[in-house]
Amino acid sequence: MNMIEAINDALDLMMARDPDIVIMGEDVGYFGGVFRATAGLQKKFGRNRVFDAPINECGIIGAAVGMAAYGLRPVPEIQFADYIYPGLDQLVSEAARMRYRSAGEFTSPITIRSPFGGGIFGGQTHSQSPEAMFTHVAGLKTIIPATPYDAKGLLIAAIEDNDPVMFFEPKRIYNGPFGGDYDKPSRTWKGHPGGEVPEGYYKIPLGKARIVREGEALTVLAYGTMVHVAEAVLADKGIDAEIIDLRSLVPLDMETVEKSVQKTGKCLVIHEATRTSGFGAELVTLVQERCFYHLEAPVERVTGFDTPYPHSLEWAYFPGPVRIGEAVDRLMKD
Amino acid sequence: MAEGPVEKGTARGNLPPLELYVPEPKYRPGDVVDYSHLPVPPAGKLARPDEACPASETWPLTLDMVRVLDEDDNAVGAWNPGLDPETLRRMLRTMALTRAFDDRLYRSQRQGKTSFYMKCTGEEAISVACAMALAGDDMVFPSYRQQGILISRGYPLVDMVNQIYSNRADPLKGRQLPIMYSAKDYGFFSISGNLATQFPQAVGWAMASAIKGDTRIATAFIGEGSSAEGDFHAAMTFAAVYNAPVVLHVVNNQWAISSFSGFAGAERTTFAARATGYGIAGLRVDGNDALAVYAAMEWAANRARANQGPTLIEHFTYRAEGHSTSDDPSAYRSAQEREEWPLGDPIMRLKKHLIALGEWSEEQQEAMDRELVEQVKVATKEAEKNGILGHGMHHPFHTMFEDVFEELPWHLEEQAAQAMRERGIKWPEWKERDDA
């Protein structure tokens, strides 16, 4: 199963289990979404529960807040993460703080699904990785799966969660894992352990990282697409690195991170988002605060550049094997 | 025409230079007010379309004004809701109680018992009459000037004061600005300081009610100033697209802090007229006429309940007091505006109507007012036992970290522990209190 199918499967399953779940978003109804994540759901669950929305993210998120106040569990889709901004106020000032400001009277159990990240020639309006912005907001959870297996299990957990959850789907790996080399085609999820998606209900708790590969020499922290790039680069380099797929930025599984860095003494943080004030800055700080006396080298971060995503130079922007390789070499020098 | 790159920023030929128009209110401090430009149509003039009429039939009503109480204090015309005297007295009493509450809590703020207060003086008819025309379980998405709805629905005054004092009995745990109530059991949504956000939320709630085949409707209130927010247009679009059972109110009280309604577009058309472009029903109502407000709300609520769709109601009124206790209206508008307001005072008008009916008297009004002042006084005294703002009788420290998420994650646990350590240093005497 690829990640799109896994997400569709999770939505299908959860809608059948809970009549309060509704899906709305641009093109999600009859058409099933531009990435087909909601394909077939309107037909199965009716137009009352899966329906298209006007091109108005403020309205989509604002209406979801009202629906949640009524008692529904909306799962709106924002077609691209780049388009959340028109709905940002409803998200950060309203949904994120509803429980707090009403002392628990009203809550916003909303899961906002949105494809994010680059690598598909989406230009600067279809490629951003805005996750750090949401981790900065008190009251939002931010979840990013890296495999179809995780996508299904995490999405189920997100929908069941009683807090608003940003569920960012790395669109570069919707169809298969990816090694980060611009001239190498994507693989497929077939045969990949994360591509084995069991039928039926299972969930992966929010806030639990996944150890992708155990190792002693270096801890690599990544999420989404970058997990696969890290895996490919480090396999090529033959370094005994421990790769951790964070899965969840808020809540963050700091315990797993600490344990790993204290074991390896070295840490590399990778993300595709722009560098300045990216989530990497938070991770590096946390590692420095908690593992300083175990560190054998400065904590490194590999990120996208502080530019918008350039359409024609997308592969120059992307933090691929070269950038990661240099950082690994620096870290492993001593 | 194209002759290569255009040289920018220079006037060409005989074309006049373009001019930016910046609206300016008619009167500033010291000016003599003349409201003759403001048409006040006679009460009873307008027809009352069938509640199931096409939205387009309401177009004339969005430009005119629904009025019921005439110059002689009689209720006239097709919009007269025909309420019995008992209901009218209850309406009057609730409006007067709202004013008494405002007056008292305004003074509490001036006495330093809280940081902030907002009165709704002159707008009592809007919230009270709307609340009375709704079913008790219809959901209200209010702005900060609909305290009359909570009071109409019987929410305890003492809890309102507890919220305003942010004390240890504040239902919102001291987290919200005073007057930003939340009362789910009373169908009163949590108030946001970010304006107009409640508009699309109300539509979403109404959509949910329709999805579930419920019979309850939603209603929301914003000021005319915040109708300029994108949220207004999002709400109108969603309400129209999904035929949501919602009634959206724009309370046009003429002033958004110091910006007059012209900055929200009032010089071009009425706020009610905006309904037309969305294909939804619209009504413009004399907001100082409790009977007109009641009739409009009832009409729109019945329409929504019958799956005939949303309505936008503009209440034409005047914000008699400052925007809030942090505002000084004498700095930007003529003091005469309030005195000369041609639509009068909503409480006085309803009182005179009841007197004209022979169902009320000045003496009864005075006795009622005394009683209401006492009722509010008792509530504030009771609330003060739970503390006033800044006097330590607030919710326990740990509550600051609760409700960010359903469960406390590790980083908030750590920060809570830090807050407790700091407390021991900053205020060692609090160790003795049951303030864990």
Side-chain angles (χ1 to χ4, degrees), chain A residues 215-271:
Chain A
E216 302 288 332
L218 166 69
T219 298
V220 176
L221 306 179
Y223 51 87
T225 304
M226 300 317 294
V227 172
H228 300 276
V229 181
E231 263 192 283
V233 174
L234 289 155
D236 284 352
K237 283 195 164 287
I239 289 167
D240 184 22
E242 181 147 297
I243 300 176
I244 296 176
D245 169 7
L246 294 173
R247 283 175 169 162
S248 167
L249 308 189
V250 177
L252 181 69
D253 183 358
M254 200 52 208
E255 205 182 321
T256 298
V257 173
E258 267 182 77
K259 231 163 101 180
S260 177
V261 177
Q262 288 175 4
K263 176 177 70 174
T264 63
K266 290 179 178 176
C267 182
L268 172 64
V269 172
I270 307 178
H271 62 62

Short mmCIF file of all heavy atoms in Angstrom, two decimals, chain A residues 215-271:
data_model
loop_
_atom_site.label_atom_id
_atom_site.label_comp_id
_atom_site.label_asym_id
_atom_site.label_seq_id
_atom_site.Cartn_x
_atom_site.Cartn_y
_atom_site.Cartn_z
N GLY A 215 22.04 2.13 15.99
CA GLY A 215 23.46 2.34 15.70
C GLY A 215 24.16 2.95 16.89
O GLY A 215 23.53 3.37 17.86
N GLU A 216 25.47 2.99 16.82
CA GLU A 216 26.28 3.43 17.97
C GLU A 216 27.06 4.71 17.69
O GLU A 216 27.55 5.35 18.61
CB GLU A 216 27.30 2.32 18.35
CG GLU A 216 26.69 0.97 18.67
CD GLU A 216 25.96 0.96 20.01
OE1 GLU A 216 26.33 1.75 20.91
OE2 GLU A 216 24.99 0.17 20.14
N ALA A 217 27.24 5.04 16.38
CA ALA A 217 28.21 6.08 16.05
C ALA A 217 27.61 7.48 15.97
O ALA A 217 28.33 8.47 16.16
CB ALA A 217 28.88 5.74 14.72
N LEU A 218 26.34 7.57 15.70
CA LEU A 218 25.74 8.88 15.40
C LEU A 218 24.22 8.76 15.52
O LEU A 218 23.66 7.75 15.10
CB LEU A 218 26.13 9.29 13.96
CG LEU A 218 25.39 10.43 13.28
CD1 LEU A 218 25.74 11.76 13.95
CD2 LEU A 218 25.76 10.49 11.79
N THR A 219 23.62 9.79 16.08
CA THR A 219 22.15 9.84 16.11
C THR A 219 21.66 10.80 15.03
O THR A 219 22.12 11.95 14.99
CB THR A 219 21.64 10.32 17.48
OG1 THR A 219 22.07 9.39 18.47
CG2 THR A 219 20.13 10.44 17.50
N VAL A 220 20.78 10.34 14.19
CA VAL A 220 20.19 11.21 13.17
C VAL A 220 18.71 11.39 13.49
O VAL A 220 17.98 10.42 13.62
CB VAL A 220 20.36 10.61 11.76
CG1 VAL A 220 19.65 11.48 10.73
CG2 VAL A 220 21.82 10.44 11.41
N LEU A 221 18.31 12.65 13.62
CA LEU A 221 16.90 12.96 13.88
C LEU A 221 16.28 13.51 12.60
O LEU A 221 16.79 14.48 12.03
CB LEU A 221 16.77 14.00 15.00
CG LEU A 221 17.48 13.67 16.32
CD1 LEU A 221 17.28 14.82 17.33
CD2 LEU A 221 16.94 12.37 16.90
N ALA A 222 15.22 12.88 12.16
CA ALA A 222 14.57 13.32 10.92
C ALA A 222 13.09 13.00 11.00
O ALA A 222 12.62 12.35 11.94
CB ALA A 222 15.20 12.63 9.72
N TYR A 223 12.33 13.51 10.03
CA TYR A 223 10.90 13.17 9.93
C TYR A 223 10.47 13.32 8.48
O TYR A 223 11.10 14.01 7.69
CB TYR A 223 10.05 14.04 10.87
CG TYR A 223 10.30 15.52 10.77
CD1 TYR A 223 9.62 16.30 9.84
CD2 TYR A 223 11.21 16.15 11.63
CE1 TYR A 223 9.84 17.66 9.75
CE2 TYR A 223 11.44 17.51 11.55
CZ TYR A 223 10.76 18.26 10.61
OH TYR A 223 10.99 19.62 10.52
N GLY A 224 9.40 12.62 8.15
CA GLY A 224 8.85 12.71 6.79
C GLY A 224 9.83 12.23 5.75
O GLY A 224 10.57 11.25 5.94
N THR A 225 9.85 12.92 4.64
CA THR A 225 10.70 12.55 3.51
C THR A 225 12.16 12.36 3.92
O THR A 225 12.86 11.46 3.43
CB THR A 225 10.62 13.66 2.43
OG1 THR A 225 9.26 13.84 2.07
CG2 THR A 225 11.42 13.29 1.20
N MET A 226 12.62 13.21 4.84
CA MET A 226 14.05 13.21 5.17
C MET A 226 14.50 11.93 5.87
O MET A 226 15.69 11.62 5.88
CB MET A 226 14.39 14.44 6.01
CG MET A 226 14.11 15.78 5.33
SD MET A 226 14.59 15.89 3.58
CE MET A 226 16.35 15.76 3.71
N VAL A 227 13.56 11.20 6.43
CA VAL A 227 13.93 9.91 7.04
C VAL A 227 14.51 9.00 5.96
O VAL A 227 15.53 8.33 6.16
CB VAL A 227 12.69 9.24 7.68
CG1 VAL A 227 13.02 7.82 8.13
CG2 VAL A 227 12.17 10.08 8.85
N HIS A 228 13.89 9.03 4.80
CA HIS A 228 14.32 8.14 3.72
C HIS A 228 15.62 8.61 3.10
O HIS A 228 16.48 7.80 2.74
CB HIS A 228 13.21 8.05 2.66
CG HIS A 228 11.95 7.52 3.25
ND1 HIS A 228 11.70 6.18 3.40
CD2 HIS A 228 10.89 8.15 3.81
CE1 HIS A 228 10.53 6.01 3.99
NE2 HIS A 228 10.02 7.20 4.26
N VAL A 229 15.77 9.91 3.01
CA VAL A 229 17.03 10.44 2.48
C VAL A 229 18.16 10.07 3.43
O VAL A 229 19.22 9.59 3.00
CB VAL A 229 16.93 11.98 2.29
CG1 VAL A 229 18.24 12.52 1.72
CG2 VAL A 229 15.77 12.34 1.38
N ALA A 230 17.92 10.25 4.72
CA ALA A 230 18.95 9.91 5.72
C ALA A 230 19.32 8.43 5.63
O ALA A 230 20.52 8.07 5.66
CB ALA A 230 18.43 10.25 7.12
N GLU A 231 18.31 7.61 5.53
CA GLU A 231 18.57 6.16 5.44
C GLU A 231 19.47 5.84 4.25
O GLU A 231 20.44 5.09 4.38
CB GLU A 231 17.24 5.42 5.25
CG GLU A 231 16.65 4.87 6.51
CD GLU A 231 15.51 3.91 6.19
OE1 GLU A 231 14.42 4.42 5.86
OE2 GLU A 231 15.71 2.68 6.28
N ALA A 232 19.14 6.40 3.10
CA ALA A 232 19.88 6.10 1.89
C ALA A 232 21.32 6.60 1.99
O ALA A 232 22.27 5.89 1.66
CB ALA A 232 19.18 6.75 0.69
N VAL A 233 21.47 7.84 2.49
CA VAL A 233 22.82 8.43 2.56
C VAL A 233 23.68 7.63 3.53
O VAL A 233 24.84 7.31 3.23
CB VAL A 233 22.73 9.90 3.02
CG1 VAL A 233 24.12 10.48 3.25
CG2 VAL A 233 21.96 10.72 1.99
N LEU A 234 23.14 7.31 4.68
CA LEU A 234 23.96 6.64 5.69
C LEU A 234 24.25 5.20 5.30
O LEU A 234 25.32 4.67 5.63
CB LEU A 234 23.28 6.74 7.05
CG LEU A 234 23.36 8.20 7.55
CD1 LEU A 234 22.27 8.53 8.52
CD2 LEU A 234 24.74 8.49 8.14
N ALA A 235 23.35 4.58 4.57
CA ALA A 235 23.63 3.23 4.09
C ALA A 235 24.79 3.28 3.10
O ALA A 235 25.72 2.47 3.17
CB ALA A 235 22.38 2.65 3.42
N ASP A 236 24.75 4.29 2.24
CA ASP A 236 25.84 4.45 1.26
C ASP A 236 27.17 4.70 1.95
O ASP A 236 28.22 4.26 1.51
CB ASP A 236 25.55 5.64 0.34
CG ASP A 236 24.49 5.29 -0.71
OD1 ASP A 236 24.12 4.09 -0.78
OD2 ASP A 236 24.03 6.20 -1.42
N LYS A 237 27.12 5.46 3.03
CA LYS A 237 28.36 5.83 3.71
C LYS A 237 28.86 4.74 4.65
O LYS A 237 29.99 4.82 5.15
CB LYS A 237 28.14 7.13 4.51
CG LYS A 237 28.15 8.37 3.62
CD LYS A 237 28.31 9.61 4.46
CE LYS A 237 28.71 10.82 3.62
NZ LYS A 237 30.08 10.80 3.16
N GLY A 238 28.02 3.78 4.93
CA GLY A 238 28.43 2.68 5.80
C GLY A 238 28.73 3.12 7.22
O GLY A 238 29.65 2.61 7.87
N ILE A 239 27.96 4.10 7.69
CA ILE A 239 28.18 4.57 9.07
C ILE A 239 27.15 3.93 9.99
O ILE A 239 25.97 3.82 9.64
CB ILE A 239 28.10 6.11 9.13
CG1 ILE A 239 29.34 6.68 8.43
CG2 ILE A 239 28.01 6.62 10.55
CD1 ILE A 239 29.25 8.15 8.14
N ASP A 240 27.58 3.55 11.17
CA ASP A 240 26.72 2.87 12.12
C ASP A 240 25.84 3.90 12.85
O ASP A 240 25.99 4.13 14.05
CB ASP A 240 27.59 2.09 13.11
CG ASP A 240 26.75 1.28 14.08
OD1 ASP A 240 25.58 0.98 13.76
OD2 ASP A 240 27.25 0.98 15.19
N ALA A 241 24.98 4.51 12.08
CA ALA A 241 24.15 5.59 12.65
C ALA A 241 22.83 5.05 13.17
O ALA A 241 22.27 4.10 12.62
CB ALA A 241 23.89 6.65 11.59
N GLU A 242 22.36 5.68 14.23
CA GLU A 242 21.00 5.39 14.72
C GLU A 242 20.09 6.45 14.11
O GLU A 242 20.31 7.65 14.30
CB GLU A 242 20.96 5.46 16.23
CG GLU A 242 19.60 5.15 16.82
CD GLU A 242 19.73 4.45 18.17
OE1 GLU A 242 20.27 3.32 18.21
OE2 GLU A 242 19.30 5.03 19.18
N ILE A 243 19.10 6.00 13.36
CA ILE A 243 18.20 6.96 12.73
C ILE A 243 16.87 6.94 13.47
O ILE A 243 16.25 5.89 13.64
CB ILE A 243 17.99 6.63 11.24
CG1 ILE A 243 19.34 6.66 10.51
CG2 ILE A 243 17.00 7.61 10.60
CD1 ILE A 243 19.27 6.26 9.05
N ILE A 244 16.46 8.13 13.89
CA ILE A 244 15.18 8.23 14.61
C ILE A 244 14.21 9.04 13.76
O ILE A 244 14.50 10.17 13.36
CB ILE A 244 15.37 8.90 15.99
CG1 ILE A 244 16.27 8.01 16.87
CG2 ILE A 244 14.03 9.17 16.66
CD1 ILE A 244 16.62 8.61 18.21
N ASP A 245 13.09 8.43 13.49
CA ASP A 245 11.99 9.13 12.81
C ASP A 245 11.10 9.70 13.91
O ASP A 245 10.44 8.96 14.65
CB ASP A 245 11.22 8.10 11.95
CG ASP A 245 9.90 8.66 11.42
OD1 ASP A 245 9.64 9.87 11.59
OD2 ASP A 245 9.14 7.86 10.83
N LEU A 246 11.09 11.01 14.01
CA LEU A 246 10.39 11.63 15.15
C LEU A 246 8.88 11.40 15.11
O LEU A 246 8.23 11.35 16.14
CB LEU A 246 10.68 13.13 15.19
CG LEU A 246 12.14 13.50 15.49
CD1 LEU A 246 12.32 15.01 15.34
CD2 LEU A 246 12.54 13.05 16.88
N ARG A 247 8.31 11.31 13.93
CA ARG A 247 6.87 11.10 13.73
C ARG A 247 6.00 12.24 14.27
O ARG A 247 5.00 12.60 13.68
CB ARG A 247 6.38 9.83 14.46
CG ARG A 247 6.71 8.54 13.81
CD ARG A 247 6.24 7.49 14.78
NE ARG A 247 6.20 6.14 14.30
CZ ARG A 247 6.15 5.09 15.12
NH1 ARG A 247 6.13 5.28 16.42
NH2 ARG A 247 6.09 3.89 14.64
N SER A 248 6.35 12.73 15.42
CA SER A 248 5.52 13.69 16.12
C SER A 248 6.44 14.78 16.64
O SER A 248 7.35 14.49 17.41
CB SER A 248 4.82 12.93 17.26
OG SER A 248 4.25 13.82 18.16
N LEU A 249 6.21 16.01 16.20
CA LEU A 249 7.06 17.11 16.67
C LEU A 249 6.51 17.67 17.98
O LEU A 249 7.25 18.02 18.89
CB LEU A 249 7.16 18.21 15.61
CG LEU A 249 7.58 17.75 14.19
CD1 LEU A 249 7.85 18.95 13.30
CD2 LEU A 249 8.78 16.82 14.23
N VAL A 250 5.21 17.77 18.06
CA VAL A 250 4.52 18.09 19.32
C VAL A 250 3.37 17.12 19.45
O VAL A 250 2.52 17.09 18.57
CB VAL A 250 3.97 19.54 19.34
CG1 VAL A 250 3.20 19.79 20.64
CG2 VAL A 250 5.07 20.56 19.17
N PRO A 251 3.33 16.29 20.48
CA PRO A 251 4.35 16.14 21.53
C PRO A 251 5.58 15.43 21.00
O PRO A 251 5.48 14.59 20.11
CB PRO A 251 3.62 15.30 22.59
CG PRO A 251 2.56 14.57 21.85
CD PRO A 251 2.18 15.41 20.68
N LEU A 252 6.71 15.76 21.57
CA LEU A 252 7.99 15.25 21.09
C LEU A 252 8.47 14.13 22.02
O LEU A 252 8.38 14.27 23.24
CB LEU A 252 9.01 16.40 21.07
CG LEU A 252 10.41 16.07 20.59
CD1 LEU A 252 10.40 15.76 19.09
CD2 LEU A 252 11.35 17.25 20.86
N ASP A 253 8.99 13.08 21.43
CA ASP A 253 9.50 11.95 22.23
C ASP A 253 10.96 12.23 22.60
O ASP A 253 11.88 11.68 22.02
CB ASP A 253 9.38 10.66 21.40
CG ASP A 253 9.82 9.45 22.19
OD1 ASP A 253 10.25 9.60 23.35
OD2 ASP A 253 9.72 8.33 21.64
N MET A 254 11.13 13.10 23.56
CA MET A 254 12.50 13.52 23.93
C MET A 254 13.25 12.38 24.62
O MET A 254 14.48 12.31 24.56
CB MET A 254 12.40 14.75 24.84
CG MET A 254 13.67 15.57 24.90
SD MET A 254 14.31 16.03 23.26
CE MET A 254 16.06 16.16 23.65
N GLU A 255 12.50 11.51 25.23
CA GLU A 255 13.14 10.40 25.95
C GLU A 255 13.96 9.54 24.99
O GLU A 255 15.12 9.21 25.26
CB GLU A 255 12.03 9.56 26.59
CG GLU A 255 12.48 8.78 27.80
CD GLU A 255 11.32 7.94 28.36
OE1 GLU A 255 10.17 8.44 28.37
OE2 GLU A 255 11.59 6.79 28.74
N THR A 256 13.34 9.19 23.88
CA THR A 256 14.04 8.37 22.88
C THR A 256 15.25 9.12 22.32
O THR A 256 16.32 8.53 22.13
CB THR A 256 13.06 7.99 21.76
OG1 THR A 256 12.01 7.22 22.34
CG2 THR A 256 13.72 7.20 20.66
N VAL A 257 15.07 10.40 22.08
CA VAL A 257 16.17 11.21 21.53
C VAL A 257 17.33 11.26 22.51
O VAL A 257 18.49 11.00 22.16
CB VAL A 257 15.68 12.64 21.19
CG1 VAL A 257 16.84 13.54 20.79
CG2 VAL A 257 14.63 12.60 20.08
N GLU A 258 17.03 11.57 23.75
CA GLU A 258 18.07 11.68 24.79
C GLU A 258 18.85 10.39 24.94
O GLU A 258 20.09 10.38 25.00
CB GLU A 258 17.41 12.00 26.14
CG GLU A 258 17.34 13.48 26.44
CD GLU A 258 16.72 13.73 27.81
OE1 GLU A 258 17.42 13.55 28.83
OE2 GLU A 258 15.53 14.08 27.85
N LYS A 259 18.09 9.32 25.01
CA LYS A 259 18.73 8.02 25.20
C LYS A 259 19.72 7.74 24.07
O LYS A 259 20.84 7.27 24.29
CB LYS A 259 17.66 6.93 25.24
CG LYS A 259 17.78 6.01 26.44
CD LYS A 259 16.51 5.23 26.65
CE LYS A 259 16.65 3.81 26.12
NZ LYS A 259 15.41 3.04 26.31
N SER A 260 19.29 8.05 22.88
CA SER A 260 20.12 7.76 21.72
C SER A 260 21.37 8.63 21.69
O SER A 260 22.48 8.15 21.50
CB SER A 260 19.30 7.97 20.44
OG SER A 260 20.09 7.77 19.31
N VAL A 261 21.17 9.94 21.91
CA VAL A 261 22.33 10.85 21.83
C VAL A 261 23.31 10.55 22.97
O VAL A 261 24.53 10.63 22.78
CB VAL A 261 21.86 12.32 21.85
CG1 VAL A 261 23.08 13.26 21.84
CG2 VAL A 261 20.98 12.62 20.65
N GLN A 262 22.79 10.18 24.11
CA GLN A 262 23.69 9.86 25.22
C GLN A 262 24.51 8.60 24.91
O GLN A 262 25.62 8.43 25.40
CB GLN A 262 22.89 9.70 26.52
CG GLN A 262 22.40 11.08 27.00
CD GLN A 262 21.50 11.02 28.21
OE1 GLN A 262 21.28 9.95 28.77
NE2 GLN A 262 20.97 12.17 28.60
N LYS A 263 23.94 7.77 24.07
CA LYS A 263 24.66 6.55 23.66
C LYS A 263 25.69 6.86 22.58
O LYS A 263 26.84 6.43 22.67
CB LYS A 263 23.64 5.53 23.14
CG LYS A 263 24.26 4.26 22.58
CD LYS A 263 23.19 3.25 22.15
CE LYS A 263 22.46 3.73 20.91
NZ LYS A 263 21.52 2.71 20.37
N THR A 264 25.29 7.64 21.59
CA THR A 264 26.18 7.84 20.43
C THR A 264 27.12 9.03 20.61
O THR A 264 28.21 9.05 20.04
CB THR A 264 25.36 8.11 19.16
OG1 THR A 264 24.62 9.32 19.33
CG2 THR A 264 24.39 6.97 18.86
N GLY A 265 26.71 10.04 21.36
CA GLY A 265 27.55 11.22 21.57
C GLY A 265 27.56 12.19 20.40
O GLY A 265 28.22 13.23 20.46
N LYS A 266 26.85 11.86 19.36
CA LYS A 266 26.83 12.76 18.20
C LYS A 266 25.41 12.85 17.65
O LYS A 266 24.67 11.87 17.69
CB LYS A 266 27.76 12.23 17.11
CG LYS A 266 29.23 12.35 17.50
CD LYS A 266 30.16 11.81 16.47
CE LYS A 266 31.60 12.01 16.94
NZ LYS A 266 32.58 11.42 16.03
N CYS A 267 25.08 14.02 17.16
CA CYS A 267 23.70 14.19 16.70
C CYS A 267 23.62 15.07 15.46
O CYS A 267 24.25 16.13 15.38
CB CYS A 267 22.86 14.80 17.83
SG CYS A 267 21.13 15.00 17.39
N LEU A 268 22.86 14.58 14.51
CA LEU A 268 22.59 15.32 13.28
C LEU A 268 21.08 15.47 13.12
O LEU A 268 20.34 14.49 13.23
CB LEU A 268 23.16 14.56 12.08
CG LEU A 268 22.81 15.09 10.69
CD1 LEU A 268 23.40 16.48 10.46
CD2 LEU A 268 23.28 14.12 9.60
N VAL A 269 20.65 16.69 12.90
CA VAL A 269 19.23 16.97 12.74
C VAL A 269 18.99 17.33 11.27
O VAL A 269 19.73 18.15 10.71
CB VAL A 269 18.81 18.16 13.64
CG1 VAL A 269 17.40 18.59 13.34
CG2 VAL A 269 18.98 17.79 15.11
N ILE A 270 18.00 16.71 10.67
CA ILE A 270 17.73 16.97 9.25
C ILE A 270 16.28 17.38 9.05
O ILE A 270 15.37 16.72 9.55
CB ILE A 270 17.98 15.70 8.40
CG1 ILE A 270 19.38 15.13 8.67
CG2 ILE A 270 17.82 16.02 6.92
CD1 ILE A 270 19.66 13.84 7.90
N HIS A 271 16.07 18.48 8.36
CA HIS A 271 14.72 18.75 7.85
C HIS A 271 14.79 19.52 6.55
O HIS A 271 15.80 20.13 6.23
CB HIS A 271 13.82 19.44 8.89
CG HIS A 271 14.26 20.79 9.35
ND1 HIS A 271 14.38 21.87 8.53
CD2 HIS A 271 14.57 21.23 10.61
CE1 HIS A 271 14.73 22.93 9.24
NE2 HIS A 271 14.88 22.57 10.51
#
